[in-house]
Amino acid sequence: MTKAVCLMYGAAIALSASAAFAADIPAAPVARVEPVSDTYFGEAVVDRYRWMENDKDPDWLPYLKQQNAHARAVLDALPKRDVLLARIQQLSGDVATPARVQKAGVRLFYQQRPAGANNFKLFVREGGKDRVLVDPTALDTKTSHVSLDWWEASPDGSKLVYGLSRDGSEDSVLQIMDVRTGAILKERIADTQAADPNWLDDSSGFFYNQLTGKNNTPERYLDSTARFHKLGTDPAKDPLLMKRGFDPAIVYEKIQAPYIGTAQHSATALLILADVRHEKRIYAAPLRDVVKGKAKWQLVADFADEVTGVDLHGDDLYLLSTKDHPRGRLLKTSARAPSLAKATEVVAESKLVLQGMARAKDGLYLRAMDGGPSALQRLGNDGKLTTIALPFEGTLREIEADPNAAGALAMLTGWLEPAGIWSVGADGKMSDTGITPKPAIDTSAYTTERRYATAKDGTQIPYSLIYKKGLKMDGKNPAFISAYGSYGSAAYTPSFAGRTLALADQGAIIGYANVRGGGEFGRQWHRAGQLENKPNTWRDLIAVCEDMNAKGYTSPASMAIGGRSAGGITMGRALEERPDLFAAVVSGVGWHNPLRYVAEQNGYGEEPEWGAIADPAGFKALKSIDSYQQVVDGTKYPAIMLTTGVTDPRVAPFHPAKMAARLQSATASGKPVLLRVDFDAGHGMGSTRAQQDAESADTYAFILSQTTGK
């Protein structure tokens, strides 16, 4: 960035603040330029800011601090920020937010952030009384916080295994608790971010996954191992049951992680090899042999068989497969002698996308989706499939069941319905458990609608809108439209509006586009926005925005788009293809420089979704989604805010940092490019309520300043 451009930019960031105040805003730092050129299949690609990949570079932290100081001064000066923050704090503080529930024996475990609390806690309900089991906030300091990453109660509910990490890093340390007394056992196991523990029936021990790669290196998630821990023993002596090269008969890639799965009342264990794909490679072996380290694994399904879910029920093995049936069907085979070729179809493919299942005493509960909204079915022990009516249109975040009890537990939420824990009775009726108290938030002033935009190829792209009733559709309303479209995940299905109601209160329309690349309509919808088809993802978003303009909801001068993580691809490429269509763009911990995935710890494992840099087709696909490399000097870009957390294990901070530097040097619009940095947060999974409140207030204030001038 030249000095002249820097001066122009410094004047522009005043936004609606006074000219006098603008002089007090520290300028954004001019990033050091040290070009590095890479050649891929004869094509040279220049990276101006490669040095940012080295977090030990002496300029790195000063650069982040100066960028954040600049962003903070701009954001804190916005006139709507304080009003928005107060409303957001009220909205988030009044809501108790559940995260997970599990029934084990006579105990009911549930993870929830109580109303007013700053982070999630784990509770147990027993004999009609609730008590706190794990309270990570008790371990917080003035400069650091602890989060509960994952947990699993033993089958009889007597023991609990769980992971804790600091500052949103997700770098879990495994601990074990005696549930009756609350005593924490002496065992500690590090490097258990993706432990996924599976208990033995007698609650005496569990299988788990352990990372072996050094933290904050590209090897972090490669070559993880599967081990077994017997309670009361030294974790350092936990037997190794699977790693790459351990068993000559089990050959797999370094990006795949081994997990050993169990189920109550089954003499079979499963070896599951998983990577970023929904599909798994699955083997089976007698559980007694697995525990002894003498398993002779039988192949159940390979990746090409497209098995995305499994359920063990005694000697029966149920497999959810999308092979030649992109919305999924359910197959049944023998757990002792599995054969896909001889498997019986027990639930045929339908218009519903099958997402998951949970085993109860009265049958198998199936969680499904139809373009976004959820559906629930039960496959009874008699083989009859029934549909269970939901109390409102919404999203089943999960379905949990106990194989020893009839019925199930579900987490359900809607656009204007806060998330709650619901019970499903054996009679097929759903009722609110009351575990999550209803907040004192009146949503009667808001409305929602679901619309469809027509993409360039004629595909109908669904999107949902939330706004205040009575809003005049004159094309002048500020709008904030979010999209994701990756991994076959349905990222934006009905979920309580919560903090976004503060933005709606200011006359804004909040929207969510179900673009291709997600899984709203099954595997075909995913593939239509993957690899060489990835441009459909951001062009679907563009189509939705154009449709909103045509219908009078908003206009380019009032339109903002946003997305998080892999949604950074969607935001970045839409921004570059149609800078004229948006007034503002917000990228939350966004992935902007995919060509450099080789430099981050969450890189190589992503190759099945994005392509491999060592492959010509993979390079072409990666380059097409690399928004950092496709910034063009002299372009009049809209106002942009990027966010990052320095402990982010999923999207390295160099992605938003490079993108910010490149945009600041390239834009000719005079509009702000801000880099907001959280120094004690990561990808958002472990962020506190206060951190989420502050980021939301900054985001909404920034959007309003650019779409309304206020």
Side-chain angles (χ1 to χ4, degrees):
M1 185 186 293
T2 66
K3 188 175 182 180
V5 173
C6 188
L7 289 173
M8 176 185 70
Y9 178 72
I13 51 80
L15 302 173
S16 57
S18 66
F21 186 83
D24 297 329
I25 295 178
V30 178
R32 188 174 94 224
V33 177
E34 288 184 359
V36 175
S37 182
D38 299 305
T39 301
Y40 304 97
F41 308 102
E43 181 175 345
V45 178
V46 177
D47 186 350
R48 307 182 188 202
Y49 305 112
R50 178 69 56 84
W51 65 268
M52 292 187 188
E53 296 173 10
N54 177 16
D55 61 6
K56 301 296 190 293
D57 188 289
D59 285 347
W60 173 241
L61 277 179
Y63 170 78
L64 292 182
K65 290 177 179 178
Q66 291 170 44
Q67 284 281 10
N68 192 55
H70 171 67
R72 279 266 50 89
V74 172
L75 295 167
D76 289 343
L78 298 177
K80 291 285 188 182
R81 186 185 184 278
D82 290 345
V83 172
L84 286 163
L85 181 59
R87 173 64 168 149
I88 287 167
Q89 288 173 332
Q90 180 256 315
L91 287 165
S92 72
D94 283 353
V95 176
T97 305
R100 201 194 147 206
V101 62
Q102 180 191 355
K103 185 179 182 300
V106 298
R107 297 184 172 106
L108 180 68
F109 299 80
Y110 63 95
Q111 184 181 0
Q112 188 159 275
R113 189 180 65 206
N118 204 31
N119 215 332
F120 288 89
K121 304 177 184 183
L122 182 62
F123 300 83
V124 63
R125 174 170 289 187
E126 185 177 7
K129 295 182 180 180
D130 294 357
R131 60 186 168 99
V132 177
L133 277 183
V134 182
D135 180 4
T137 63
L139 303 173
D140 291 353
T141 68
K142 291 183 179 179
T143 58
S144 180
H145 73 274
V146 175
S147 297
L148 175 62
D149 297 326
W150 52 262
W151 55 273
E152 187 72 24
S154 64
D156 64 3
S158 66
K159 301 294 188 295
L160 177 80
V161 57
Y162 59 102
L164 297 175
S165 67
R166 286 197 171 275
D167 299 330
S169 66
E170 301 178 61
D171 188 16
S172 307
V173 175
L174 181 152
Q175 300 186 35
I176 306 163
M177 178 185 290
D178 182 290
V179 175
R180 184 182 64 83
T181 65
I184 301 173
L185 307 188
K186 63 180 181 180
E187 294 103 306
R188 298 287 187 278
I189 306 178
D191 300 316
T192 46
Q193 177 175 336
D196 192 20
N198 274 249
W199 287 90
L200 295 181
D201 259 13
D202 62 3
S203 301
S204 64
F206 53 84
F207 302 98
Y208 67 96
N209 177 274
Q210 185 176 38
L211 302 178
T212 62
K214 186 179 179 181
N215 201 5
N216 202 29
T217 70
E219 289 74 41
R220 179 56 170 167
Y221 300 124
L222 305 182
D223 286 326
S224 65
T225 60
R227 296 181 179 272
F228 175 75
H229 180 71
K230 183 175 177 60
L231 300 189
T233 64
D234 181 2
K237 298 179 181 179
D238 284 353
L240 176 66
L241 300 179
M242 184 56 63
K243 71 172 182 179
R244 196 162 64 98
F246 180 76
D247 184 339
I250 311 295
V251 179
Y252 59 96
E253 301 297 323
K254 62 183 179 180
I255 65 173
Q256 276 122 37
Y259 298 90
I260 294 177
T262 59
Q264 291 186 53
H265 317 306
S266 179
T268 300
L270 300 176
L271 170 63
I272 300 172
L273 298 175
D275 54 32
V276 70
R277 291 171 284 185
H278 288 276
E279 300 84 5
K280 322 292 182 191
R281 181 186 292 169
I282 303 166
Y283 296 82
L287 177 59
R288 64 178 182 275
D289 294 342
V290 177
V291 173
K292 294 176 183 178
K294 298 180 179 180
K296 293 184 179 179
W297 297 103
Q298 301 179 73
L299 180 66
V300 175
D302 212 334
F303 287 104
D305 295 313
E306 297 186 16
V307 171
T308 62
V310 297
D311 174 71
L312 263 175
H313 183 54
D315 290 336
D316 292 328
L317 179 59
Y318 292 81
L319 305 170
L320 198 165
S321 173
T322 59
K323 176 73 171 178
D324 300 322
H325 297 80
R327 300 200 181 199
R329 61 174 179 156
L330 191 62
L331 306 173
K332 178 183 175 182
T333 185
S334 165
R336 292 179 182 270
S339 171
L340 264 183
K342 297 179 181 179
T344 303
E345 181 182 83
V346 291
V347 176
E349 183 181 23
S350 70
K351 70 172 185 176
L352 296 177
V353 176
L354 296 180
Q355 296 177 285
M357 48 194 167
R359 171 65 59 182
K361 190 174 182 179
D362 58 337
L364 190 61
Y365 286 82
L366 303 174
R367 183 171 60 92
M369 173 179 56
D370 183 12
S374 291
L376 181 60
Q377 297 178 314
R378 179 174 60 206
L379 178 66
N381 295 327
D382 59 0
K384 183 180 179 182
L385 185 68
T386 58
T387 298
I388 296 170
L390 302 184
F392 53 84
E393 184 179 271
T395 299
L396 286 166
R397 289 183 178 169
E398 71 169 324
I399 185 83
E400 290 276 352
D402 181 351
N404 302 308
L409 292 164
M411 284 188 34
L412 179 65
T413 181
W415 292 125
L416 299 178
E417 295 281 351
I421 299 173
W422 292 68
S423 67
V424 186
D427 59 0
K429 294 181 179 178
M430 293 187 69
S431 59
D432 192 336
T433 63
I435 291 173
T436 305
K438 293 289 187 183
I441 297 176
D442 183 4
T443 60
S444 63
Y446 310 94
T447 188
T448 68
E449 62 176 301
R450 186 168 172 82
R451 299 191 59 86
Y452 290 83
T454 302
K456 285 186 176 181
D457 61 2
T459 302
Q460 294 296 292
I461 311 301
Y463 64 96
S464 299
L465 303 177
I466 307 167
Y467 52 88
K468 291 199 78 171
K469 293 176 180 176
L471 198 65
K472 187 178 180 181
M473 301 306 172
D474 58 3
K476 298 179 181 179
N477 302 306
F480 181 38
I481 313 303
S482 297
Y484 186 73
S486 293
Y487 302 111
S489 298
Y492 293 116
T493 59
S495 183
F496 184 53
R499 293 179 177 89
T500 61
L501 295 179
L503 186 57
D505 290 342
Q506 300 294 323
I509 298 172
I510 295 91
Y512 301 96
N514 298 118
V515 298
R516 282 173 284 184
E520 289 84 349
F521 295 103
R523 288 292 284 116
Q524 287 179 332
W525 198 252
H526 177 206
R527 291 186 178 114
Q530 186 186 27
L531 298 172
E532 71 278 5
N533 296 322
K534 193 64 184 172
N536 283 333
T537 299
W538 61 82
R539 289 169 186 162
D540 286 353
L541 172 61
I542 289 171
V544 167
C545 294
E546 290 177 329
D547 189 67
M548 291 184 65
N549 292 338
K551 299 296 191 300
Y553 287 97
T554 188
S555 63
S558 302
M559 172 81 73
I561 57 172
R564 299 185 65 83
S565 192
I569 298 169
T570 314
M571 300 307 99
R573 297 300 288 119
L575 158 74
E576 289 161 345
E577 286 204 0
R578 289 296 306 276
D580 61 307
L581 191 57
F582 317 111
V585 176
V586 179
S587 174
V589 292
W591 207 46
H592 290 289
N593 187 201
L595 283 171
R596 291 298 299 160
Y597 74 85
V598 295
E600 59 184 322
Q601 67 177 31
N602 191 30
Y604 286 101
E606 305 281 301
E607 288 180 346
E609 177 69 12
W610 313 113
I613 195 73
D615 174 68
F619 163 68
K620 183 178 180 181
L622 286 161
K623 185 184 177 187
S624 75
I625 65 175
D626 195 307
S627 55
Y628 162 68
Q629 283 292 346
Q630 297 187 64
V631 174
V632 177
D633 289 328
T635 301
K636 292 182 178 180
Y637 289 112
I640 301 157
M641 185 173 86
L642 304 103
T643 75
T644 189
V646 296
T647 66
D648 193 335
R650 297 171 184 258
V651 173
F654 73 73
H655 286 276
K658 282 186 180 183
M659 188 67 170
R662 186 72 187 93
L663 285 166
Q664 286 170 348
S665 69
T667 187
S669 66
K671 295 182 178 181
V673 176
L674 306 180
L675 176 60
R676 182 191 187 277
V677 185
D678 219 327
F679 291 91
D680 62 341
H683 203 61
M685 279 66 174
S687 293
T688 65
R689 179 172 69 89
Q691 287 176 315
Q692 293 169 350
D693 287 351
E695 183 175 350
S696 295
D698 289 342
T699 300
Y700 303 160
F702 178 75
I703 288 168
L704 290 174
S705 71
Q706 296 301 316
T707 58
T708 68
K710 299 179 182 178

